[in-house]
Amino acid sequence: MRYAITGASRGLGLEFVRQLLNRGDTIEAGVRSPSEARQLQELVRGAEGRLRLHALDISDSKSVDAFAATVGQGEALDVLINNAGVYGKDGALTELDYESMASTFAVNTLGPLRLTAALLPALRRGSARRIIHITSQMGSIGDNGMGGSYGYRISKAAMNMAMRNMHVDLHGEGFVTISMHPGWVQTDMGGPNAPLLPEASVRGMINVIDRLKAEDGGRFFSYEGQELPW
């Protein structure tokens, strides 16, 4: 199948590329700076044309439009994995950096919306019609017992609602769109003390994606396939 993956230069995005390439899929990888994505460049050399790198800033409409024009021009796209995200600055309620929060929202919430809309024609030509949003359990209102992380939590909760809207709008066309929590993973965002390696997280998420059925659309899953509270 043909995948588009954002935030593909490191962490979960890079691991998605590795595992999907290894099993024979084709990937359009979106990264902020292709010239600095050295690990991806190495993978391109051994991918026999099944991996292409593209400059993509999902918070910028012109960048998204250019990506969609290249990736979706007359071609079919089977799966979109909206993986790119930022944590932003944290702070107590009385010390919030609202400009940072707005930037976090622009990437984590508006970015997936913007890109999904731009790639919709290509996704409609695809056979799988799957849209995957990598979110976080920190975006769960029902699971929030710690507070803090205002910008990140709010942006991910809003993205979950955006996903649910997409489900309502698109499921009649055979689309399956979900939110997925990757676990607490050893990435730049998750930090070195996280209990989960990217390999295990992505292996689990791919397994969930492969097994999606129509009735799974609009739901919130963990990387292990467990349904999570909103």
Coordinates of all heavy atoms in Angstrom, one line a residue, residues 99-184:
E99 N 1.5 32.4 23.3 CA 2.0 32.3 21.9 C 2.5 30.9 21.6 O 2.3 30.3 20.5 CB 3.1 33.3 21.7 CG 2.7 34.8 21.7 CD 3.8 35.7 21.3 OE1 4.9 35.2 21.0 OE2 3.6 36.9 21.3
S100 N 3.1 30.3 22.6 CA 3.6 28.9 22.4 C 2.4 28.0 22.3 O 2.4 27.0 21.5 CB 4.5 28.5 23.6 OG 4.8 27.1 23.5
M101 N 1.4 28.2 23.1 CA 0.2 27.4 23.0 C -0.5 27.5 21.7 O -1.0 26.5 21.1 CB -0.8 27.8 24.1 CG -0.4 27.4 25.5 SD -1.6 27.9 26.8 CE -3.0 26.9 26.5
A102 N -0.5 28.7 21.1 CA -1.1 28.9 19.8 C -0.3 28.1 18.7 O -0.9 27.5 17.8 CB -1.2 30.4 19.4
S103 N 1.0 28.1 18.8 CA 1.9 27.4 17.9 C 1.7 25.9 18.0 O 1.6 25.2 17.0 CB 3.3 27.7 18.2 OG 3.6 29.1 17.9
T104 N 1.5 25.4 19.3 CA 1.2 24.0 19.5 C -0.1 23.6 18.9 O -0.2 22.5 18.2 CB 1.2 23.7 21.0 OG1 2.5 24.0 21.6 CG2 0.9 22.3 21.3
F105 N -1.1 24.4 19.0 CA -2.4 24.2 18.4 C -2.3 24.1 16.9 O -2.9 23.3 16.3 CB -3.4 25.2 18.9 CG -4.8 24.9 18.6 CD1 -5.6 24.1 19.4 CD2 -5.4 25.4 17.5 CE1 -6.9 23.8 19.2 CE2 -6.8 25.2 17.2 CZ -7.5 24.3 18.0
A106 N -1.5 25.1 16.4 CA -1.4 25.1 14.9 C -0.8 23.9 14.3 O -1.2 23.4 13.2 CB -0.5 26.3 14.5
V107 N 0.1 23.2 15.1 CA 0.7 22.0 14.6 C -0.1 20.8 14.9 O -0.4 20.0 14.1 CB 2.2 21.8 15.2 CG1 2.7 20.5 14.8 CG2 3.1 22.9 14.7
N108 N -0.5 20.6 16.2 CA -1.1 19.4 16.7 C -2.6 19.3 16.2 O -3.1 18.1 16.1 CB -1.0 19.3 18.2 CG 0.4 19.1 18.7 OD1 1.3 18.9 17.9 ND2 0.6 19.2 20.0
T109 N -3.3 20.4 16.0 CA -4.7 20.3 15.7 C -5.0 20.7 14.3 O -5.6 20.0 13.5 CB -5.5 21.2 16.7 OG1 -5.2 20.8 18.1 CG2 -7.0 21.0 16.5
L110 N -4.6 22.0 14.0 CA -4.9 22.5 12.7 C -4.1 21.8 11.6 O -4.6 21.6 10.4 CB -4.7 24.0 12.6 CG -5.5 24.8 13.6 CD1 -5.2 26.3 13.4 CD2 -7.0 24.5 13.5
G111 N -2.9 21.4 11.9 CA -2.0 20.7 10.9 C -2.6 19.5 10.3 O -2.7 19.3 9.1
P112 N -3.1 18.5 11.2 CA -3.7 17.3 10.6 C -5.0 17.6 9.8 O -5.3 17.0 8.8 CB -4.0 16.5 11.9 CG -3.0 16.9 12.9 CD -2.8 18.4 12.6
L113 N -5.8 18.6 10.3 CA -6.9 19.0 9.5 C -6.6 19.5 8.2 O -7.2 19.1 7.1 CB -7.7 20.1 10.3 CG -8.7 19.7 11.3 CD1 -9.2 20.9 12.1 CD2 -9.9 19.0 10.7
R114 N -5.6 20.4 8.1 CA -5.2 21.0 6.9 C -4.7 20.0 5.9 O -5.0 20.0 4.7 CB -4.1 22.1 7.2 CG -3.6 22.9 6.0 CD -2.5 23.8 6.5 NE -3.0 25.0 7.2 CZ -2.8 25.2 8.5 NH1 -2.1 24.4 9.2 NH2 -3.3 26.3 9.0
L115 N -3.8 19.1 6.4 CA -3.2 18.1 5.5 C -4.3 17.0 5.0 O -4.3 16.6 3.9 CB -2.1 17.4 6.2 CG -1.3 16.4 5.3 CD1 -0.7 17.1 4.1 CD2 -0.2 15.7 6.2
T116 N -5.1 16.6 5.9 CA -6.1 15.6 5.5 C -7.0 16.2 4.4 O -7.3 15.5 3.4 CB -7.0 15.2 6.7 OG1 -6.1 14.7 7.8 CG2 -8.0 14.2 6.3
A117 N -7.5 17.4 4.6 CA -8.3 18.1 3.6 C -7.6 18.1 2.2 O -8.1 17.9 1.2 CB -8.7 19.4 4.0
A118 N -6.3 18.5 2.3 CA -5.5 18.6 1.0 C -5.3 17.3 0.3 O -5.2 17.3 -0.9 CB -4.1 19.3 1.4
L119 N -5.2 16.2 1.1 CA -4.9 14.9 0.5 C -6.2 14.1 0.2 O -6.1 13.0 -0.3 CB -4.0 14.1 1.4 CG -2.5 14.6 1.5 CD1 -1.8 13.7 2.5 CD2 -1.8 14.5 0.2
L120 N -7.3 14.6 0.5 CA -8.5 13.9 0.4 C -8.8 13.3 -1.0 O -9.2 12.2 -1.2 CB -9.7 14.7 0.9 CG -11.0 14.0 1.3 CD1 -10.7 12.9 2.3 CD2 -12.0 15.0 1.9
P121 N -8.5 14.1 -2.1 CA -8.7 13.5 -3.4 C -7.8 12.3 -3.6 O -8.3 11.3 -4.2 CB -8.3 14.7 -4.3 CG -8.5 15.9 -3.5 CD -8.2 15.5 -2.1
A122 N -6.6 12.3 -3.2 CA -5.7 11.1 -3.4 C -6.2 10.0 -2.5 O -6.2 8.8 -2.9 CB -4.3 11.5 -3.0
L123 N -6.6 10.3 -1.3 CA -7.2 9.2 -0.4 C -8.4 8.6 -1.0 O -8.7 7.4 -0.8 CB -7.4 9.8 1.0 CG -6.2 10.1 1.8 CD1 -6.5 11.1 3.0 CD2 -5.5 8.8 2.3
R124 N -9.2 9.4 -1.6 CA -10.5 8.9 -2.2 C -10.1 7.9 -3.4 O -10.9 7.0 -3.7 CB -11.3 10.0 -2.7 CG -12.1 10.7 -1.6 CD -13.0 11.8 -2.2 NE -13.9 12.3 -1.1 CZ -14.1 13.5 -0.8 NH1 -13.5 14.5 -1.5 NH2 -15.0 13.9 0.1
R125 N -9.0 8.1 -4.0 CA -8.5 7.2 -5.1 C -7.9 5.9 -4.5 O -7.8 4.9 -5.2 CB -7.5 7.9 -6.0 CG -8.1 8.9 -6.9 CD -7.1 9.4 -7.9 NE -6.1 10.2 -7.4 CZ -6.1 11.5 -7.2 NH1 -7.1 12.2 -7.7 NH2 -5.1 12.2 -6.7
G126 N -7.6 5.9 -3.2 CA -7.0 4.7 -2.6 C -8.0 3.6 -2.3 O -9.2 3.8 -2.2
S127 N -7.5 2.4 -2.0 CA -8.3 1.3 -1.7 C -8.6 1.1 -0.2 O -9.6 0.6 0.2 CB -7.7 0.0 -2.3 OG -6.4 -0.2 -1.7
A128 N -7.6 1.6 0.6 CA -7.8 1.3 2.0 C -8.6 2.4 2.7 O -9.3 2.2 3.7 CB -6.4 1.3 2.7
R129 N -8.4 3.7 2.3 CA -9.1 4.8 2.9 C -9.0 4.9 4.4 O -10.0 4.9 5.1 CB -10.6 4.8 2.4 CG -10.7 5.0 0.9 CD -12.1 5.3 0.5 NE -12.2 5.7 -0.9 CZ -13.2 6.2 -1.5 NH1 -14.4 6.4 -0.8 NH2 -13.2 6.5 -2.8
R130 N -7.8 4.9 4.9 CA -7.5 5.0 6.3 C -6.8 6.3 6.7 O -5.8 6.6 6.0 CB -6.7 3.8 6.8 CG -7.5 2.5 6.7 CD -6.7 1.3 7.0 NE -7.4 0.1 6.8 CZ -6.9 -1.2 6.7 NH1 -5.6 -1.3 6.9 NH2 -7.7 -2.2 6.5
I131 N -7.3 7.0 7.7 CA -6.7 8.2 8.2 C -6.4 8.0 9.7 O -7.3 7.8 10.5 CB -7.6 9.4 8.0 CG1 -8.0 9.5 6.5 CG2 -6.9 10.7 8.4 CD1 -9.1 10.5 6.2
I132 N -5.1 8.1 10.0 CA -4.6 7.8 11.4 C -4.0 9.0 12.0 O -3.1 9.6 11.4 CB -3.6 6.6 11.4 CG1 -4.0 5.5 10.5 CG2 -3.3 6.2 12.8 CD1 -5.3 4.8 10.9
H133 N -4.6 9.4 13.2 CA -4.0 10.5 13.9 C -3.3 10.1 15.1 O -3.9 9.4 16.0 CB -5.2 11.5 14.3 CG -6.0 12.0 13.2 ND1 -5.6 12.9 12.2 CD2 -7.3 11.6 12.8 CE1 -6.5 13.1 11.3 NE2 -7.5 12.3 11.6
I134 N -2.0 10.3 15.2 CA -1.2 10.0 16.4 C -1.4 11.0 17.4 O -1.0 12.2 17.3 CB 0.3 9.8 16.0 CG1 0.5 8.8 14.9 CG2 1.0 9.3 17.3 CD1 -0.1 7.4 15.1
T135 N -2.2 10.7 18.4 CA -2.6 11.6 19.5 C -1.8 11.3 20.8 O -0.7 10.8 20.7 CB -4.1 11.7 19.6 OG1 -4.5 12.6 20.6 CG2 -4.7 10.3 20.0
S136 N -2.5 11.4 21.9 CA -1.9 11.1 23.2 C -3.0 10.8 24.2 O -4.0 11.5 24.1 CB -1.0 12.2 23.7 OG -0.5 11.9 25.0
Q137 N -2.7 9.9 25.1 CA -3.7 9.8 26.2 C -3.8 11.0 27.1 O -4.8 11.2 27.8 CB -3.2 8.6 27.1 CG -4.3 8.0 28.0 CD -4.0 6.7 28.5 OE1 -3.0 6.0 28.1 NE2 -4.9 6.1 29.4
M138 N -2.8 11.9 26.9 CA -2.8 13.2 27.6 C -3.9 14.1 27.1 O -4.3 15.1 27.7 CB -1.5 13.9 27.6 CG -0.4 13.2 28.4 SD 1.2 14.1 28.3 CE 0.9 15.6 29.2
G139 N -4.5 13.7 25.9 CA -5.6 14.5 25.4 C -6.9 13.9 25.8 O -8.0 14.4 25.4
S140 N -6.9 12.9 26.7 CA -8.2 12.3 27.2 C -8.7 13.1 28.4 O -7.9 13.3 29.4 CB -7.9 10.9 27.6 OG -9.0 10.4 28.4
I141 N -9.9 13.7 28.3 CA -10.5 14.4 29.4 C -10.8 13.5 30.5 O -10.5 13.8 31.7 CB -11.7 15.1 28.9 CG1 -11.4 16.2 27.9 CG2 -12.5 15.8 30.1 CD1 -12.6 16.8 27.2
G142 N -11.3 12.3 30.2 CA -11.7 11.3 31.3 C -10.5 10.8 32.0 O -10.6 10.4 33.2
D143 N -9.3 10.8 31.4 CA -8.1 10.2 32.0 C -7.2 11.2 32.7 O -6.2 10.9 33.3 CB -7.3 9.5 30.9 CG -6.1 8.7 31.5 OD1 -6.4 7.7 32.3 OD2 -5.0 9.0 31.2
N144 N -7.6 12.5 32.6 CA -6.7 13.6 33.1 C -6.9 13.7 34.7 O -7.8 14.3 35.2 CB -7.1 14.9 32.5 CG -6.1 16.0 32.9 OD1 -5.2 15.8 33.7 ND2 -6.3 17.2 32.4
G145 N -5.9 13.1 35.4 CA -5.9 13.3 36.8 C -4.7 14.0 37.4 O -4.5 14.1 38.6
M146 N -3.9 14.5 36.4 CA -2.6 15.2 36.9 C -2.6 16.7 36.5 O -1.8 17.4 37.1 CB -1.5 14.5 36.2 CG -1.3 13.1 36.6 SD 0.2 12.3 35.8 CE 1.5 13.3 36.5
G147 N -3.4 17.2 35.6 CA -3.3 18.6 35.2 C -2.0 18.9 34.5 O -1.3 18.0 34.0
G148 N -1.7 20.2 34.4 CA -0.5 20.6 33.7 C -0.6 20.4 32.2 O -1.6 20.0 31.7
S149 N 0.6 20.7 31.6 CA 0.7 20.5 30.1 C -0.5 21.1 29.3 O -1.0 20.4 28.4 CB 0.9 19.0 29.8 OG 2.0 18.5 30.5
Y150 N -0.8 22.3 29.7 CA -2.1 22.9 29.1 C -2.1 22.9 27.6 O -3.1 22.4 27.0 CB -2.2 24.3 29.6 CG -2.9 24.4 31.0 CD1 -2.1 24.3 32.1 CD2 -4.2 24.6 31.1 CE1 -2.6 24.4 33.4 CE2 -4.8 24.7 32.4 CZ -4.0 24.6 33.5 OH -4.5 24.7 34.8
G151 N -1.1 23.4 27.0 CA -1.1 23.5 25.5 C -1.2 22.1 24.8 O -1.9 21.9 23.9
Y152 N -0.3 21.2 25.3 CA -0.3 19.9 24.7 C -1.6 19.2 24.9 O -2.2 18.6 23.9 CB 0.9 19.1 25.3 CG 1.1 17.8 24.6 CD1 1.6 17.7 23.3 CD2 0.8 16.6 25.2 CE1 1.9 16.5 22.7 CE2 1.0 15.4 24.6 CZ 1.6 15.3 23.3 OH 1.8 14.1 22.7
R153 N -2.1 19.1 26.1 CA -3.4 18.4 26.4 C -4.5 19.0 25.6 O -5.3 18.3 25.0 CB -3.7 18.5 27.9 CG -2.8 17.7 28.8 CD -3.4 17.7 30.2 NE -2.5 17.1 31.2 CZ -2.6 15.7 31.5 NH1 -3.4 15.0 30.8 NH2 -1.8 15.2 32.4
I154 N -4.6 20.3 25.6 CA -5.8 21.0 24.9 C -5.7 20.7 23.4 O -6.7 20.4 22.7 CB -5.8 22.5 25.1 CG1 -6.1 22.7 26.6 CG2 -6.7 23.2 24.2 CD1 -5.9 24.2 27.1
S155 N -4.5 20.8 22.8 CA -4.3 20.6 21.4 C -4.7 19.1 21.0 O -5.3 18.9 19.9 CB -2.9 20.9 20.9 OG -2.0 20.0 21.4
K156 N -4.3 18.2 21.8 CA -4.6 16.8 21.5 C -6.1 16.4 21.7 O -6.6 15.7 20.9 CB -3.7 15.8 22.3 CG -2.2 15.9 21.9 CD -2.0 15.4 20.5 CE -0.5 15.3 20.1 NZ -0.3 14.8 18.7
A157 N -6.7 17.0 22.7 CA -8.1 16.8 22.9 C -8.9 17.4 21.7 O -9.8 16.8 21.2 CB -8.6 17.5 24.2
A158 N -8.4 18.5 21.3 CA -9.1 19.2 20.1 C -8.9 18.3 18.8 O -9.8 18.2 18.0 CB -8.6 20.6 19.9
M159 N -7.7 17.7 18.7 CA -7.5 16.9 17.5 C -8.3 15.6 17.6 O -8.8 15.2 16.5 CB -6.0 16.5 17.5 CG -5.7 15.8 16.1 SD -4.0 15.2 16.0 CE -4.1 13.7 16.8
N160 N -8.6 15.1 18.8 CA -9.5 14.0 18.9 C -10.9 14.3 18.4 O -11.6 13.5 17.8 CB -9.5 13.5 20.3 CG -8.2 12.8 20.7 OD1 -7.4 12.4 19.9 ND2 -8.0 12.6 22.0
M161 N -11.3 15.5 18.8 CA -12.7 16.0 18.3 C -12.7 16.2 16.8 O -13.6 15.8 16.1 CB -13.1 17.3 19.0 CG -14.4 17.8 18.5 SD -15.8 16.7 18.7 CE -16.2 17.0 20.4
A162 N -11.6 16.7 16.2 CA -11.5 16.9 14.8 C -11.5 15.5 14.1 O -12.2 15.3 13.1 CB -10.1 17.6 14.4
M163 N -10.9 14.5 14.7 CA -10.9 13.1 14.1 C -12.4 12.6 14.1 O -12.8 12.1 13.1 CB -10.0 12.2 14.9 CG -10.0 10.8 14.5 SD -11.5 9.7 14.9 CE -11.3 9.8 16.7
R164 N -13.1 12.8 15.2 CA -14.4 12.4 15.3 C -15.3 13.0 14.2 O -16.2 12.4 13.6 CB -15.0 12.6 16.7 CG -16.4 12.1 16.9 CD -16.5 10.6 16.9 NE -17.9 10.2 17.0 CZ -18.3 8.9 17.2 NH1 -17.3 8.0 17.2 NH2 -19.5 8.6 17.2
N165 N -15.1 14.3 14.0 CA -15.8 15.0 13.0 C -15.5 14.4 11.6 O -16.4 14.2 10.8 CB -15.4 16.5 13.0 CG -16.4 17.4 13.7 OD1 -17.2 16.9 14.5 ND2 -16.5 18.7 13.3
M166 N -14.3 14.1 11.3 CA -13.9 13.5 10.1 C -14.6 12.2 9.9 O -15.1 11.9 8.8 CB -12.4 13.3 10.0 CG -11.5 14.5 9.8 SD -9.8 14.1 9.7 CE -9.0 15.6 10.2
H167 N -14.7 11.4 11.0 CA -15.4 10.1 10.9 C -16.8 10.3 10.5 O -17.3 9.6 9.6 CB -15.3 9.4 12.2 CG -16.3 8.3 12.4 ND1 -16.2 7.2 11.7 CD2 -17.4 8.3 13.2 CE1 -17.3 6.4 12.0 NE2 -18.0 7.0 12.9
V168 N -17.5 11.3 11.1 CA -18.9 11.5 10.8 C -19.1 11.9 9.3 O -20.0 11.5 8.6 CB -19.5 12.6 11.7 CG1 -20.9 13.0 11.3 CG2 -19.5 12.1 13.2
D169 N -18.1 12.8 8.9 CA -18.2 13.3 7.5 C -17.9 12.3 6.4 O -18.4 12.3 5.3 CB -17.3 14.5 7.3 CG -17.9 15.8 8.1 OD1 -19.1 15.7 8.4 OD2 -17.1 16.7 8.3
L170 N -16.9 11.4 6.8 CA -16.3 10.5 5.7 C -16.6 9.0 5.8 O -16.4 8.3 4.8 CB -14.8 10.7 5.8 CG -14.2 12.1 5.5 CD1 -12.7 12.1 5.7 CD2 -14.6 12.5 4.1
H171 N -17.2 8.6 6.9 CA -17.4 7.1 7.0 C -18.4 6.6 5.9 O -18.2 5.4 5.5 CB -17.9 6.7 8.4 CG -19.3 6.9 8.6 ND1 -19.8 8.2 9.0 CD2 -20.4 6.1 8.6 CE1 -21.1 8.1 9.1 NE2 -21.5 6.8 8.9
G172 N -19.3 7.4 5.4 CA -20.2 7.0 4.4 C -19.5 6.7 3.1 O -20.0 6.0 2.2
E173 N -18.3 7.2 2.9 CA -17.5 6.9 1.7 C -16.5 5.8 1.9 O -15.7 5.5 1.1 CB -16.6 8.2 1.3 CG -17.4 9.4 1.0 CD -16.6 10.6 0.6 OE1 -15.6 10.4 -0.2 OE2 -16.8 11.7 1.1
G174 N -16.6 5.1 3.1 CA -15.8 3.9 3.3 C -14.5 4.3 4.0 O -13.6 3.4 4.2
F175 N -14.3 5.5 4.5 CA -13.1 5.9 5.3 C -13.2 5.3 6.7 O -14.3 5.3 7.3 CB -13.0 7.4 5.3 CG -12.4 8.0 4.1 CD1 -13.2 8.4 3.0 CD2 -11.0 8.1 3.9 CE1 -12.7 9.0 1.9 CE2 -10.5 8.7 2.8 CZ -11.3 9.1 1.8
V176 N -12.0 4.9 7.2 CA -11.9 4.6 8.6 C -10.8 5.5 9.2 O -9.7 5.5 8.8 CB -11.4 3.1 8.8 CG1 -11.3 2.8 10.3 CG2 -12.5 2.2 8.2
T177 N -11.2 6.4 10.1 CA -10.3 7.4 10.7 C -10.4 7.2 12.2 O -11.4 7.2 12.8 CB -10.6 8.8 10.2 OG1 -9.7 9.7 10.9 CG2 -12.1 9.2 10.5
I178 N -9.2 7.2 12.8 CA -9.1 6.9 14.2 C -8.0 7.8 14.8 O -7.1 8.4 14.1 CB -8.7 5.5 14.6 CG1 -7.3 5.1 14.1 CG2 -9.8 4.5 14.0 CD1 -6.8 3.8 14.7
S179 N -8.1 8.0 16.2 CA -7.0 8.5 17.0 C -6.2 7.4 17.6 O -6.9 6.4 18.0 CB -7.5 9.5 18.0 OG -8.0 10.7 17.4
M180 N -4.9 7.5 17.8 CA -4.1 6.4 18.4 C -3.1 7.0 19.3 O -2.3 7.9 19.0 CB -3.5 5.5 17.3 CG -3.0 4.3 18.0 SD -2.5 2.9 16.8 CE -3.2 3.4 15.3
H181 N -3.1 6.4 20.5 CA -2.1 6.8 21.5 C -0.9 5.8 21.4 O -1.1 4.6 21.5 CB -2.7 6.7 22.9 CG -1.7 6.7 24.1 ND1 -0.9 7.8 24.3 CD2 -1.5 5.8 25.1 CE1 -0.1 7.5 25.3 NE2 -0.5 6.4 25.8
P182 N 0.3 6.3 21.1 CA 1.5 5.4 20.9 C 2.1 4.8 22.2 O 3.0 4.0 22.1 CB 2.5 6.3 20.2 CG 2.2 7.7 20.7 CD 0.7 7.7 21.0
G183 N 1.6 5.3 23.3 CA 2.3 4.9 24.6 C 3.3 5.9 24.9 O 3.5 6.9 24.2
W184 N 3.9 5.7 26.1 CA 5.0 6.6 26.5 C 6.3 6.1 26.0 O 6.8 5.0 26.4 CB 5.1 6.7 28.0 CG 6.1 7.7 28.6 CD1 6.8 8.6 27.9 CD2 6.6 7.7 29.9 NE1 7.7 9.3 28.7 CE2 7.6 8.7 29.9 CE3 6.3 7.0 31.1 CZ2 8.3 9.0 31.1 CZ3 7.0 7.3 32.2 CH2 8.0 8.3 32.2

